[in-house]
PDB file of all heavy atoms in Angstrom:
ATOM      1  N   ALA A 215     -43.765  69.511 -16.478  1.00 89.00           N
ATOM      2  CA  ALA A 215     -42.640  69.021 -15.566  1.00 89.00           C
ATOM      3  C   ALA A 215     -41.891  68.014 -16.392  1.00 89.00           C
ATOM      4  O   ALA A 215     -42.473  67.091 -16.981  1.00 89.00           O
ATOM      5  CB  ALA A 215     -43.202  68.401 -14.283  1.00 89.00           C
ATOM      6  N   ASP A 263     -51.479  61.602 -16.549  1.00 87.00           N
ATOM      7  CA  ASP A 263     -52.018  61.532 -15.135  1.00 87.00           C
ATOM      8  C   ASP A 263     -52.250  62.910 -14.600  1.00 87.00           C
ATOM      9  O   ASP A 263     -51.343  63.722 -14.482  1.00 87.00           O
ATOM     10  CB  ASP A 263     -50.919  60.789 -14.358  1.00 87.00           C
ATOM     11  CG  ASP A 263     -51.389  60.546 -12.891  1.00 87.00           C
ATOM     12  OD1 ASP A 263     -52.366  61.148 -12.475  1.00 87.00           O
ATOM     13  OD2 ASP A 263     -50.643  59.834 -12.193  1.00 87.00           O
ATOM     14  N   PHE A 266     -50.288  63.822 -11.386  1.00 83.00           N
ATOM     15  CA  PHE A 266     -48.864  63.974 -11.313  1.00 83.00           C
ATOM     16  C   PHE A 266     -48.427  65.254 -11.929  1.00 83.00           C
ATOM     17  O   PHE A 266     -48.856  65.739 -12.889  1.00 83.00           O
ATOM     18  CB  PHE A 266     -48.213  62.812 -12.119  1.00 83.00           C
ATOM     19  CG  PHE A 266     -46.778  62.790 -11.963  1.00 83.00           C
ATOM     20  CD1 PHE A 266     -46.153  62.099 -10.827  1.00 83.00           C
ATOM     21  CD2 PHE A 266     -45.936  63.412 -12.729  1.00 83.00           C
ATOM     22  CE1 PHE A 266     -44.826  62.046 -10.673  1.00 83.00           C
ATOM     23  CE2 PHE A 266     -44.512  63.470 -12.590  1.00 83.00           C
ATOM     24  CZ  PHE A 266     -43.994  62.757 -11.496  1.00 83.00           C
ATOM     25  N   ASN A 280     -42.492  56.433 -23.872  1.00 90.00           N
ATOM     26  CA  ASN A 280     -43.924  56.719 -23.723  1.00 90.00           C
ATOM     27  C   ASN A 280     -44.430  57.736 -24.836  1.00 90.00           C
ATOM     28  O   ASN A 280     -45.432  57.565 -25.427  1.00 90.00           O
ATOM     29  CB  ASN A 280     -44.215  57.336 -22.355  1.00 90.00           C
ATOM     30  CG  ASN A 280     -43.854  56.372 -21.268  1.00 90.00           C
ATOM     31  OD1 ASN A 280     -44.166  55.245 -21.375  1.00 90.00           O
ATOM     32  ND2 ASN A 280     -43.146  56.851 -20.262  1.00 90.00           N
ATOM     33  N   TYR A 337     -35.818  64.953  -7.346  1.00 84.00           N
ATOM     34  CA  TYR A 337     -36.799  63.929  -7.758  1.00 84.00           C
ATOM     35  C   TYR A 337     -36.015  62.595  -7.934  1.00 84.00           C
ATOM     36  O   TYR A 337     -34.929  62.540  -8.468  1.00 84.00           O
ATOM     37  CB  TYR A 337     -37.382  64.324  -9.161  1.00 84.00           C
ATOM     38  CG  TYR A 337     -38.417  63.384  -9.645  1.00 84.00           C
ATOM     39  CD1 TYR A 337     -39.644  63.286  -8.906  1.00 84.00           C
ATOM     40  CD2 TYR A 337     -38.245  62.620 -10.717  1.00 84.00           C
ATOM     41  CE1 TYR A 337     -40.630  62.428  -9.334  1.00 84.00           C
ATOM     42  CE2 TYR A 337     -39.263  61.757 -11.236  1.00 84.00           C
ATOM     43  CZ  TYR A 337     -40.421  61.676 -10.435  1.00 84.00           C
ATOM     44  OH  TYR A 337     -41.410  60.825 -10.831  1.00 84.00           O
ATOM     45  N   TRP A 641     -18.516   9.709   8.122  1.00 95.00           N
ATOM     46  CA  TRP A 641     -17.847  10.218   9.270  1.00 95.00           C
ATOM     47  C   TRP A 641     -18.475   9.599  10.541  1.00 95.00           C
ATOM     48  O   TRP A 641     -17.780   9.073  11.376  1.00 95.00           O
ATOM     49  CB  TRP A 641     -17.885  11.724   9.376  1.00 95.00           C
ATOM     50  CG  TRP A 641     -16.843  12.272  10.291  1.00 95.00           C
ATOM     51  CD1 TRP A 641     -16.438  11.886  11.498  1.00 95.00           C
ATOM     52  CD2 TRP A 641     -16.054  13.437   9.990  1.00 95.00           C
ATOM     53  NE1 TRP A 641     -15.420  12.697  12.016  1.00 95.00           N
ATOM     54  CE2 TRP A 641     -15.117  13.661  11.145  1.00 95.00           C
ATOM     55  CE3 TRP A 641     -15.884  14.358   8.890  1.00 95.00           C
ATOM     56  CZ2 TRP A 641     -14.199  14.677  11.234  1.00 95.00           C
ATOM     57  CZ3 TRP A 641     -14.901  15.361   8.971  1.00 95.00           C
ATOM     58  CH2 TRP A 641     -14.099  15.507  10.075  1.00 95.00           C
ATOM     59  N   ASN A 837     -56.689  12.733  25.634  1.00 87.00           N
ATOM     60  CA  ASN A 837     -57.498  13.659  24.889  1.00 87.00           C
ATOM     61  C   ASN A 837     -58.369  12.838  23.926  1.00 87.00           C
ATOM     62  O   ASN A 837     -57.957  12.104  23.090  1.00 87.00           O
ATOM     63  CB  ASN A 837     -56.584  14.574  24.080  1.00 87.00           C
ATOM     64  CG  ASN A 837     -57.350  15.583  23.344  1.00 87.00           C
ATOM     65  OD1 ASN A 837     -58.505  15.410  22.934  1.00 87.00           O
ATOM     66  ND2 ASN A 837     -56.747  16.739  23.113  1.00 87.00           N
ATOM     67  N   LYS A 843     -59.400  11.264  16.265  1.00 87.00           N
ATOM     68  CA  LYS A 843     -59.071  11.805  14.986  1.00 87.00           C
ATOM     69  C   LYS A 843     -57.620  11.514  14.456  1.00 87.00           C
ATOM     70  O   LYS A 843     -57.439  11.547  13.241  1.00 87.00           O
ATOM     71  CB  LYS A 843     -59.269  13.354  14.946  1.00 87.00           C
ATOM     72  CG  LYS A 843     -60.777  13.657  15.067  1.00 87.00           C
ATOM     73  CD  LYS A 843     -60.959  15.145  15.027  1.00 87.00           C
ATOM     74  CE  LYS A 843     -62.496  15.442  15.234  1.00 87.00           C
ATOM     75  NZ  LYS A 843     -62.739  16.876  15.370  1.00 87.00           N
ATOM     76  N   PHE A 859     -41.397   6.364  28.515  1.00 88.00           N
ATOM     77  CA  PHE A 859     -41.238   7.466  29.393  1.00 88.00           C
ATOM     78  C   PHE A 859     -41.621   7.021  30.852  1.00 88.00           C
ATOM     79  O   PHE A 859     -40.944   7.386  31.748  1.00 88.00           O
ATOM     80  CB  PHE A 859     -42.065   8.682  29.025  1.00 88.00           C
ATOM     81  CG  PHE A 859     -41.552   9.399  27.716  1.00 88.00           C
ATOM     82  CD1 PHE A 859     -42.477   9.973  26.897  1.00 88.00           C
ATOM     83  CD2 PHE A 859     -40.177   9.346  27.430  1.00 88.00           C
ATOM     84  CE1 PHE A 859     -42.003  10.543  25.708  1.00 88.00           C
ATOM     85  CE2 PHE A 859     -39.806   9.913  26.222  1.00 88.00           C
ATOM     86  CZ  PHE A 859     -40.723  10.593  25.395  1.00 88.00           C
TER      87      PHE A 859
ATOM     88  P     G B  19     -45.213  16.280  11.112  1.00 87.30           P
ATOM     89  OP1   G B  19     -43.893  16.930  11.470  1.00 87.30           O
ATOM     90  OP2   G B  19     -45.365  15.250  10.138  1.00 87.30           O
ATOM     91  O5'   G B  19     -45.851  15.805  12.481  1.00 87.30           O
ATOM     92  C5'   G B  19     -45.414  16.443  13.688  1.00 87.30           C
ATOM     93  C4'   G B  19     -45.977  15.676  14.882  1.00 87.30           C
ATOM     94  O4'   G B  19     -47.348  15.423  14.799  1.00 87.30           O
ATOM     95  C3'   G B  19     -45.295  14.215  15.025  1.00 87.30           C
ATOM     96  O3'   G B  19     -44.829  14.116  16.362  1.00 87.30           O
ATOM     97  C2'   G B  19     -46.472  13.281  14.816  1.00 87.30           C
ATOM     98  O2'   G B  19     -46.436  12.204  15.751  1.00 87.30           O
ATOM     99  C1'   G B  19     -47.696  14.055  15.101  1.00 87.30           C
ATOM    100  N9    G B  19     -48.896  13.764  14.406  1.00 87.30           N
ATOM    101  C8    G B  19     -49.079  13.278  13.199  1.00 87.30           C
ATOM    102  N7    G B  19     -50.398  13.100  12.843  1.00 87.30           N
ATOM    103  C5    G B  19     -51.049  13.574  13.994  1.00 87.30           C
ATOM    104  C6    G B  19     -52.418  13.676  14.258  1.00 87.30           C
ATOM    105  O6    G B  19     -53.388  13.377  13.508  1.00 87.30           O
ATOM    106  N1    G B  19     -52.688  14.194  15.514  1.00 87.30           N
ATOM    107  C2    G B  19     -51.708  14.556  16.411  1.00 87.30           C
ATOM    108  N2    G B  19     -52.132  15.036  17.509  1.00 87.30           N
ATOM    109  N3    G B  19     -50.377  14.469  16.148  1.00 87.30           N
ATOM    110  C4    G B  19     -50.153  13.973  14.952  1.00 87.30           C
ATOM    111  P     A B  20     -43.449  13.615  16.703  1.00 87.30           P
ATOM    112  OP1   A B  20     -42.631  13.326  15.523  1.00 87.30           O
ATOM    113  OP2   A B  20     -43.626  12.762  17.843  1.00 87.30           O
ATOM    114  O5'   A B  20     -43.281  15.160  17.097  1.00 87.30           O
ATOM    115  C5'   A B  20     -42.084  15.653  17.712  1.00 87.30           C
ATOM    116  C4'   A B  20     -42.321  15.855  19.195  1.00 87.30           C
ATOM    117  O4'   A B  20     -42.354  14.491  19.748  1.00 87.30           O
ATOM    118  C3'   A B  20     -41.174  16.561  19.752  1.00 87.30           C
ATOM    119  O3'   A B  20     -41.650  17.870  20.087  1.00 87.30           O
ATOM    120  C2'   A B  20     -40.791  15.771  21.002  1.00 87.30           C
ATOM    121  O2'   A B  20     -41.153  16.511  22.169  1.00 87.30           O
ATOM    122  C1'   A B  20     -41.559  14.514  20.900  1.00 87.30           C
ATOM    123  N9    A B  20     -40.784  13.311  20.845  1.00 87.30           N
ATOM    124  C8    A B  20     -40.070  12.747  19.795  1.00 87.30           C
ATOM    125  N7    A B  20     -39.532  11.646  20.104  1.00 87.30           N
ATOM    126  C5    A B  20     -39.890  11.387  21.417  1.00 87.30           C
ATOM    127  C6    A B  20     -39.602  10.284  22.337  1.00 87.30           C
ATOM    128  N6    A B  20     -38.895   9.231  21.961  1.00 87.30           N
ATOM    129  N1    A B  20     -40.121  10.398  23.562  1.00 87.30           N
ATOM    130  C2    A B  20     -40.952  11.449  23.867  1.00 87.30           C
ATOM    131  N3    A B  20     -41.247  12.526  23.120  1.00 87.30           N
ATOM    132  C4    A B  20     -40.637  12.409  21.901  1.00 87.30           C
ATOM    133  P     A B  35      -4.862   2.890  14.764  1.00 87.30           P
ATOM    134  OP1   A B  35      -6.060   2.903  15.485  1.00 87.30           O
ATOM    135  OP2   A B  35      -4.171   1.588  14.560  1.00 87.30           O
ATOM    136  O5'   A B  35      -5.035   3.547  13.329  1.00 87.30           O
ATOM    137  C5'   A B  35      -4.058   3.580  12.346  1.00 87.30           C
ATOM    138  C4'   A B  35      -4.320   4.789  11.364  1.00 87.30           C
ATOM    139  O4'   A B  35      -5.609   4.484  10.786  1.00 87.30           O
ATOM    140  C3'   A B  35      -4.491   6.114  12.067  1.00 87.30           C
ATOM    141  O3'   A B  35      -3.210   6.748  12.163  1.00 87.30           O
ATOM    142  C2'   A B  35      -5.382   6.841  11.094  1.00 87.30           C
ATOM    143  O2'   A B  35      -4.656   7.283   9.953  1.00 87.30           O
ATOM    144  C1'   A B  35      -6.330   5.731  10.593  1.00 87.30           C
ATOM    145  N9    A B  35      -7.475   5.643  11.453  1.00 87.30           N
ATOM    146  C8    A B  35      -7.712   4.876  12.634  1.00 87.30           C
ATOM    147  N7    A B  35      -8.888   4.995  13.121  1.00 87.30           N
ATOM    148  C5    A B  35      -9.526   5.858  12.250  1.00 87.30           C
ATOM    149  C6    A B  35     -10.836   6.358  12.299  1.00 87.30           C
ATOM    150  N6    A B  35     -11.736   6.069  13.155  1.00 87.30           N
ATOM    151  N1    A B  35     -11.192   7.189  11.248  1.00 87.30           N
ATOM    152  C2    A B  35     -10.222   7.560  10.342  1.00 87.30           C
ATOM    153  N3    A B  35      -9.041   7.083  10.227  1.00 87.30           N
ATOM    154  C4    A B  35      -8.750   6.254  11.266  1.00 87.30           C
ATOM    155  P     C B  36      -2.953   7.799  13.330  1.00 87.30           P
ATOM    156  OP1   C B  36      -1.502   8.204  13.321  1.00 87.30           O
ATOM    157  OP2   C B  36      -3.482   7.275  14.585  1.00 87.30           O
ATOM    158  O5'   C B  36      -3.790   9.103  12.867  1.00 87.30           O
ATOM    159  C5'   C B  36      -3.363   9.906  11.805  1.00 87.30           C
ATOM    160  C4'   C B  36      -4.489  10.831  11.420  1.00 87.30           C
ATOM    161  O4'   C B  36      -5.712  10.032  11.136  1.00 87.30           O
ATOM    162  C3'   C B  36      -4.964  11.797  12.468  1.00 87.30           C
ATOM    163  O3'   C B  36      -4.072  12.984  12.463  1.00 87.30           O
ATOM    164  C2'   C B  36      -6.365  12.099  12.059  1.00 87.30           C
ATOM    165  O2'   C B  36      -6.312  13.117  10.947  1.00 87.30           O
ATOM    166  C1'   C B  36      -6.819  10.761  11.467  1.00 87.30           C
ATOM    167  N1    C B  36      -7.706  10.063  12.407  1.00 87.30           N
ATOM    168  C2    C B  36      -9.112  10.309  12.447  1.00 87.30           C
ATOM    169  O2    C B  36      -9.524  11.062  11.609  1.00 87.30           O
ATOM    170  N3    C B  36      -9.822   9.686  13.334  1.00 87.30           N
ATOM    171  C4    C B  36      -9.293   8.816  14.197  1.00 87.30           C
ATOM    172  N4    C B  36     -10.087   8.203  15.073  1.00 87.30           N
ATOM    173  C5    C B  36      -7.890   8.623  14.253  1.00 87.30           C
ATOM    174  C6    C B  36      -7.081   9.227  13.389  1.00 87.30           C
ATOM    175  P     G B  39     -10.324  17.791  12.303  1.00 87.30           P
ATOM    176  OP1   G B  39     -10.632  17.923  10.914  1.00 87.30           O
ATOM    177  OP2   G B  39     -10.848  18.778  13.270  1.00 87.30           O
ATOM    178  O5'   G B  39     -10.739  16.388  12.729  1.00 87.30           O
ATOM    179  C5'   G B  39     -10.027  15.250  12.220  1.00 87.30           C
ATOM    180  C4'   G B  39      -9.543  14.318  13.244  1.00 87.30           C
ATOM    181  O4'   G B  39      -8.401  14.853  13.955  1.00 87.30           O
ATOM    182  C3'   G B  39     -10.510  14.008  14.406  1.00 87.30           C
ATOM    183  O3'   G B  39     -11.510  13.132  14.049  1.00 87.30           O
ATOM    184  C2'   G B  39      -9.574  13.473  15.407  1.00 87.30           C
ATOM    185  O2'   G B  39      -9.164  12.157  15.077  1.00 87.30           O
ATOM    186  C1'   G B  39      -8.360  14.325  15.228  1.00 87.30           C
ATOM    187  N9    G B  39      -8.381  15.481  16.172  1.00 87.30           N
ATOM    188  C8    G B  39      -8.475  16.833  15.947  1.00 87.30           C
ATOM    189  N7    G B  39      -8.475  17.598  16.953  1.00 87.30           N
ATOM    190  C5    G B  39      -8.403  16.712  18.012  1.00 87.30           C
ATOM    191  C6    G B  39      -8.286  16.926  19.411  1.00 87.30           C
ATOM    192  O6    G B  39      -8.338  17.981  19.992  1.00 87.30           O
ATOM    193  N1    G B  39      -8.169  15.734  20.121  1.00 87.30           N
ATOM    194  C2    G B  39      -8.093  14.464  19.601  1.00 87.30           C
ATOM    195  N2    G B  39      -7.929  13.439  20.437  1.00 87.30           N
ATOM    196  N3    G B  39      -8.153  14.238  18.269  1.00 87.30           N
ATOM    197  C4    G B  39      -8.291  15.368  17.562  1.00 87.30           C
ATOM    198  P     C B  40     -12.987  13.224  14.748  1.00 87.30           P
ATOM    199  OP1   C B  40     -13.818  12.281  13.952  1.00 87.30           O
ATOM    200  OP2   C B  40     -13.393  14.573  14.865  1.00 87.30           O
ATOM    201  O5'   C B  40     -12.651  12.631  16.137  1.00 87.30           O
ATOM    202  C5'   C B  40     -12.322  11.261  16.346  1.00 87.30           C
ATOM    203  C4'   C B  40     -12.151  10.937  17.740  1.00 87.30           C
ATOM    204  O4'   C B  40     -11.088  11.646  18.308  1.00 87.30           O
ATOM    205  C3'   C B  40     -13.350  11.370  18.598  1.00 87.30           C
ATOM    206  O3'   C B  40     -14.471  10.449  18.507  1.00 87.30           O
ATOM    207  C2'   C B  40     -12.682  11.359  20.012  1.00 87.30           C
ATOM    208  O2'   C B  40     -12.457  10.045  20.477  1.00 87.30           O
ATOM    209  C1'   C B  40     -11.307  11.903  19.656  1.00 87.30           C
ATOM    210  N1    C B  40     -11.373  13.443  19.834  1.00 87.30           N
ATOM    211  C2    C B  40     -11.219  13.983  21.156  1.00 87.30           C
ATOM    212  O2    C B  40     -11.107  13.122  22.077  1.00 87.30           O
ATOM    213  N3    C B  40     -11.237  15.313  21.312  1.00 87.30           N
ATOM    214  C4    C B  40     -11.377  16.105  20.290  1.00 87.30           C
ATOM    215  N4    C B  40     -11.420  17.421  20.472  1.00 87.30           N
ATOM    216  C5    C B  40     -11.540  15.619  18.940  1.00 87.30           C
ATOM    217  C6    C B  40     -11.513  14.279  18.770  1.00 87.30           C
ATOM    218  P     C B  56     -60.661  19.461  16.016  1.00 87.30           P
ATOM    219  OP1   C B  56     -61.512  18.211  15.815  1.00 87.30           O
ATOM    220  OP2   C B  56     -61.371  20.746  16.341  1.00 87.30           O
ATOM    221  O5'   C B  56     -59.576  19.197  17.118  1.00 87.30           O
ATOM    222  C5'   C B  56     -59.934  19.238  18.511  1.00 87.30           C
ATOM    223  C4'   C B  56     -58.765  18.701  19.366  1.00 87.30           C
ATOM    224  O4'   C B  56     -58.599  17.239  19.106  1.00 87.30           O
ATOM    225  C3'   C B  56     -57.392  19.276  19.028  1.00 87.30           C
ATOM    226  O3'   C B  56     -57.237  20.484  19.735  1.00 87.30           O
ATOM    227  C2'   C B  56     -56.502  18.204  19.517  1.00 87.30           C
ATOM    228  O2'   C B  56     -56.362  18.212  20.859  1.00 87.30           O
ATOM    229  C1'   C B  56     -57.243  16.858  19.075  1.00 87.30           C
ATOM    230  N1    C B  56     -56.833  16.418  17.759  1.00 87.30           N
ATOM    231  C2    C B  56     -55.611  15.830  17.567  1.00 87.30           C
ATOM    232  O2    C B  56     -54.844  15.719  18.622  1.00 87.30           O
ATOM    233  N3    C B  56     -55.249  15.368  16.372  1.00 87.30           N
ATOM    234  C4    C B  56     -56.086  15.438  15.325  1.00 87.30           C
ATOM    235  N4    C B  56     -55.686  14.952  14.181  1.00 87.30           N
ATOM    236  C5    C B  56     -57.318  16.029  15.484  1.00 87.30           C
ATOM    237  C6    C B  56     -57.733  16.543  16.732  1.00 87.30           C
ATOM    238  P     C B  74     -41.149  49.183 -19.307  1.00 87.30           P
ATOM    239  OP1   C B  74     -41.474  49.369 -20.757  1.00 87.30           O
ATOM    240  OP2   C B  74     -39.768  48.731 -18.931  1.00 87.30           O
ATOM    241  O5'   C B  74     -41.367  50.563 -18.565  1.00 87.30           O
ATOM    242  C5'   C B  74     -40.375  51.551 -18.564  1.00 87.30           C
ATOM    243  C4'   C B  74     -41.082  52.899 -18.662  1.00 87.30           C
ATOM    244  O4'   C B  74     -41.733  52.962 -20.009  1.00 87.30           O
ATOM    245  C3'   C B  74     -42.240  53.156 -17.690  1.00 87.30           C
ATOM    246  O3'   C B  74     -41.642  53.660 -16.491  1.00 87.30           O
ATOM    247  C2'   C B  74     -43.107  54.113 -18.417  1.00 87.30           C
ATOM    248  O2'   C B  74     -42.572  55.433 -18.314  1.00 87.30           O
ATOM    249  C1'   C B  74     -43.001  53.636 -19.876  1.00 87.30           C
ATOM    250  N1    C B  74     -44.009  52.708 -20.340  1.00 87.30           N
ATOM    251  C2    C B  74     -45.390  53.106 -20.317  1.00 87.30           C
ATOM    252  O2    C B  74     -45.638  54.283 -19.945  1.00 87.30           O
ATOM    253  N3    C B  74     -46.334  52.306 -20.774  1.00 87.30           N
ATOM    254  C4    C B  74     -46.028  51.077 -21.140  1.00 87.30           C
ATOM    255  N4    C B  74     -46.979  50.397 -21.585  1.00 87.30           N
ATOM    256  C5    C B  74     -44.699  50.628 -21.146  1.00 87.30           C
ATOM    257  C6    C B  74     -43.733  51.427 -20.729  1.00 87.30           C
ATOM    258  P     C B  75     -42.187  53.182 -15.046  1.00 87.30           P
ATOM    259  OP1   C B  75     -41.158  52.325 -14.515  1.00 87.30           O
ATOM    260  OP2   C B  75     -43.622  52.807 -15.133  1.00 87.30           O
ATOM    261  O5'   C B  75     -42.080  54.587 -14.199  1.00 87.30           O
ATOM    262  C5'   C B  75     -43.284  55.236 -13.809  1.00 87.30           C
ATOM    263  C4'   C B  75     -43.668  56.291 -14.790  1.00 87.30           C
ATOM    264  O4'   C B  75     -45.101  56.222 -14.950  1.00 87.30           O
ATOM    265  C3'   C B  75     -43.374  57.725 -14.348  1.00 87.30           C
ATOM    266  O3'   C B  75     -42.139  58.222 -14.838  1.00 87.30           O
ATOM    267  C2'   C B  75     -44.477  58.524 -14.938  1.00 87.30           C
ATOM    268  O2'   C B  75     -44.361  58.853 -16.244  1.00 87.30           O
ATOM    269  C1'   C B  75     -45.663  57.487 -14.770  1.00 87.30           C
ATOM    270  N1    C B  75     -46.300  57.508 -13.366  1.00 87.30           N
ATOM    271  C2    C B  75     -47.513  58.224 -13.238  1.00 87.30           C
ATOM    272  O2    C B  75     -48.042  58.759 -14.205  1.00 87.30           O
ATOM    273  N3    C B  75     -48.016  58.330 -12.034  1.00 87.30           N
ATOM    274  C4    C B  75     -47.483  57.693 -10.945  1.00 87.30           C
ATOM    275  N4    C B  75     -48.116  57.762  -9.806  1.00 87.30           N
ATOM    276  C5    C B  75     -46.274  57.012 -11.141  1.00 87.30           C
ATOM    277  C6    C B  75     -45.664  56.963 -12.360  1.00 87.30           C
ATOM    278  P     A B  76     -41.082  58.808 -13.885  1.00 87.30           P
ATOM    279  OP1   A B  76     -39.884  57.932 -13.769  1.00 87.30           O
ATOM    280  OP2   A B  76     -41.914  59.128 -12.648  1.00 87.30           O
ATOM    281  O5'   A B  76     -40.606  60.239 -14.514  1.00 87.30           O
ATOM    282  C5'   A B  76     -41.516  61.284 -14.712  1.00 87.30           C
ATOM    283  C4'   A B  76     -41.609  61.449 -16.170  1.00 87.30           C
ATOM    284  O4'   A B  76     -42.993  61.606 -16.479  1.00 87.30           O
ATOM    285  C3'   A B  76     -40.927  62.734 -16.634  1.00 87.30           C
ATOM    286  O3'   A B  76     -40.330  62.525 -17.864  1.00 87.30           O
ATOM    287  C2'   A B  76     -42.071  63.761 -16.710  1.00 87.30           C
ATOM    288  O2'   A B  76     -41.891  64.667 -17.754  1.00 87.30           O
ATOM    289  C1'   A B  76     -43.244  62.866 -16.992  1.00 87.30           C
ATOM    290  N9    A B  76     -44.476  63.309 -16.299  1.00 87.30           N
ATOM    291  C8    A B  76     -44.630  64.272 -15.374  1.00 87.30           C
ATOM    292  N7    A B  76     -45.901  64.504 -14.990  1.00 87.30           N
ATOM    293  C5    A B  76     -46.628  63.714 -15.851  1.00 87.30           C
ATOM    294  C6    A B  76     -48.006  63.442 -16.001  1.00 87.30           C
ATOM    295  N6    A B  76     -48.871  64.050 -15.243  1.00 87.30           N
ATOM    296  N1    A B  76     -48.350  62.619 -16.876  1.00 87.30           N
ATOM    297  C2    A B  76     -47.522  61.941 -17.665  1.00 87.30           C
ATOM    298  N3    A B  76     -46.101  62.070 -17.616  1.00 87.30           N
ATOM    299  C4    A B  76     -45.786  62.934 -16.678  1.00 87.30           C
TER     300        A B  76
END
Side-chain angles (χ1 to χ4, degrees):
Chain A
D263 182 350
F266 188 88
N280 300 316
Y337 186 66
W641 199 319
N837 185 331
K843 291 180 185 173
F859 292 147

